[in-house]
Amino acid sequence: MIIWGKYPFLRVLWPFALGIWCFVSFPIFRLMPSVLIFTALALLLVAFLASRFCTKPRLNWIFGVVISCYLFCAGYAMTQVHDVSIQKTYFRNFEADANCYVARVYDCPTEKENSLKVILDLDSQYSDSSSWRMVSGKVMAYFQKSDAAMQLRYGDLVAFPLPIGEVSAPKNPEEFDYRDYLFRKGITGQVYLKESDWVDLEVNKANPLYAFSYRFRDVLLRSLQRCGLKGDEFGVAAAILLGYDDSLPVEVRQNYVAAGSMHILCVSGMHVGIIFLLASLLLSFLNRKKWQKTLKQLLLLSLIWFYAMIAGLSPSILRSALMISFVIVGELLHRKGFAVNSIAASAFILLCINPNNLFEIGFLLSYIAVVGIVLLQKPIYNWFNFKNKLLDKIWEITAVALAAQFATMPLTLFYFHQFTVYFWLSNLFMTPISFLVIMGGMILLLVSWIPYINMAVGYLVWGAVYVMNALIAWVENLPLSIIKGIYINGLEFTMLLLLFLFVILLVTTRRRLFFVAMLSAVMLFVLSVTIRQYQVEKQNEIVFYSLRKHTAVDFVKGNRHVMLCDSALVADEGTIDYSLKGNWAKSGLSMTPEISFLEGGFGNDFVCKKDNLISFGGQLIALWQENNASSDSLNYRLPVDFLLVTGKQKPNVARLLCNYEAKCLLIDGSVPNYLAEKWMNQAENMGLPYKYIGERAFVCAIE
């Protein structure tokens, strides 16, 4: 039986989080602030009356329900307060007559290949009508690389006269919603600034705490490089020790993802725990007297938060720092806490600080993984009993990996459409090696100012990281190391989460009811997958994707598809992963489709391409290639369903109509904007229906 009195923060967390989710998920039902205030006051009054007059034990639930409703409203209201788009000073409310903006560099700039990526926090705005006014909001700015741009630091004030553009919505089915991702961080615009488009005001308005944190982190990063770490090893060490992943190569990051060990590169509970143990060992001489023990706990508390600060205060490290802080405070107060309650308390505090954390995948993965480890690791470990100490230790580590993987599986399937097969193998050796890297790295940072010793320790850390990278690459190259293209819908995701919850309740209470609930969740999951698979078999459609500088058209028949594309797209794996594979996963299609290039022919049992004509499902598509068109009007114009224009071709709709009798003109995303506008204007003047795929993908279902 679960004694809920032991977990007060768990009882507080769920209605608060539900209020946050409802505000974001149902914007049409958003309440006015006055209504929220009135409702909150009314609920508090009812709670007070319930506590005074409903004193019988069987009526205690009334007080609990009322407080839960109040917490729901509190979460709802807290999210509304953090919604930048409804604030009176929001910059979009005054942008019509804006001439210039002044903004503060909100975070450390990130160097990209051709630009400097900077988050700007708007400070003020100038207009002819009202002179200067204070505004709020954040924008994503891309500065052209220059000497001045590379000198930008956190807190610097800059001015620029350009209008702030909108962040584009997803253009393709199941494409990652980058606009929503930025909105959850309070970023609602973007701008590209050339060297001549902005001015450094030579004023710095940095938060002293964060400014010190970033400067100190830069000092530590330079210390790592000075001690012999460079290349991939420096990128991994910087990510593991300091949470700095800007120097982490994309290939190395992908290797860790494929091996199921990406959590190693995120400063989290294991890192903070090692720091805690190392510091506790170094301060063990303070265990003699009561005041010394109190001093030790205060020093540990200060050290944990200092490390969290220089590691960037990410949700994962905040969660870990808060949890360990509860343990330390409990020892100071001579009270024993419960891990689940500490986890819920840290989550509640972080959601109070920023309700949008609830929609951060890193935040969710971090919490659900630690919940899985705390509640399921021991039951899994008890499956087998090894008398051999080495085998027992191996199984203990494997049990931790299994518990974390089972807990996070719904999230990884729903958000990333993939499953890492050898997570248990990689974590088997990654756990001890990463422990050595973290311990060695901390020692390296402490002795980095001592000649010769720093180089010796640096080479040891470099060697450990090198071995770790090599083992991760080996796991990543194993057959079927990662299964991609797995898709689950919202209902299936919910069933998997309920399955995880019912497993925890079954393990905790041993009640048969939760076993029945588990089977019900599994049956609903299987039923949903079966129905969706049946729908996949019935698919018959053409998908014209919206890609910048590329052409991609999918001809889908059941669970098979042929992709018509330009040869450059095949080599552009980033664009394929970002824009196409989400739809392939949802549609149950292969991640490696049959390819037909724009030039040449192709043929199988459901698609036929000859020269510039494509036949599929009774539809005829022509690729407009001006060099193959007739110069004179033909006696017989070829009737086609779609005429697709690609690339940089001179707009000439009149000549097009001399060759084809088209039902619809499709202007591809590979057509530059200035040419696309001319194509659309000419098509409108000629009375030819058209669709501009550059703005959004076009899906044509064939009956």
Side-chain angles (χ1 to χ4, degrees), residues 206-237:
N207 181 307
L209 185 64
Y210 280 96
F212 171 76
S213 170
Y214 294 141
R215 284 198 299 269
F216 191 72
R217 186 177 66 178
D218 289 341
V219 170
L220 295 178
L221 289 171
R222 288 194 294 270
S223 297
L224 292 177
Q225 291 176 318
R226 192 169 57 249
C227 294
L229 292 172
K230 56 184 178 180
D232 293 352
E233 287 71 32
F234 168 75
V236 172

Side-chain angles (χ1 to χ4, degrees), residues 74-93:
Y76 192 99
M78 190 76 72
T79 313
Q80 185 164 310
V81 169
H82 282 78
D83 189 345
V84 295
S85 63
I86 64 175
Q87 295 177 4
K88 291 183 179 180
T89 57
Y90 182 47
F91 75 94
R92 294 288 186 196
N93 298 333

